[in-house]
């Protein structure tokens, strides 16, 4: 976590979506991405977002959420 960016690494399974629930702590997510695949987000409750990622390859992928 730094400069309004939360980031990490995920071990992806080929063609299997992965979801991560994140507490936004009064910040509004603006943009999400993953290094090798696609990513979307949605707000699921007040102050909680769900990051969904998928990849056509298995292996490690870097993800980030910009607030």
């Amino acid at each position: 976590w730094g400069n309004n960016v939360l980031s990490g690494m995920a071990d992806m399974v080929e063609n299997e979506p992965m979801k991560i629930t994140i507490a936004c702590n009064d910040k509004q997510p603006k943009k999400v991405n993953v290094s090798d695949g696609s990513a979307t987000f949605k707000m699921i409750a007040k102050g909680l977002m769900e990051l969904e990622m998928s990849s056509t390859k298995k292996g490690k992928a870097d993800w980030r959420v910009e607030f």
Side-chain angles (χ1 to χ4, degrees), residues 19-58:
K19 294 180 180 181
I20 300 173
T21 302
I22 299 170
C24 296
N25 297 326
D26 296 324
K27 296 187 182 281
Q28 187 64 31
K30 295 178 184 167
K31 183 174 158 183
V32 297
N33 63 28
V34 63
S35 61
D36 192 16
S38 61
T40 60
F41 76 91
K42 67 180 178 181
M43 299 306 292
I44 56 173
K46 183 175 175 153
L48 288 178
M49 69 172 276
E50 181 179 86
L51 170 63
E52 183 171 338
M53 306 177 287
S54 62
S55 179
T56 57
K57 301 175 185 174
K58 75 176 203 172

Side-chain angles (χ1 to χ4, degrees), residues 1-7 24-32 64-67:
W1 176 256
N3 297 323
N4 290 319
V5 173
L6 179 65
S7 60
C24 296
N25 297 326
D26 296 324
K27 296 187 182 281
Q28 187 64 31
K30 295 178 184 167
K31 183 174 158 183
V32 297
R64 63 187 276 136
V65 180
E66 294 179 26
F67 292 89

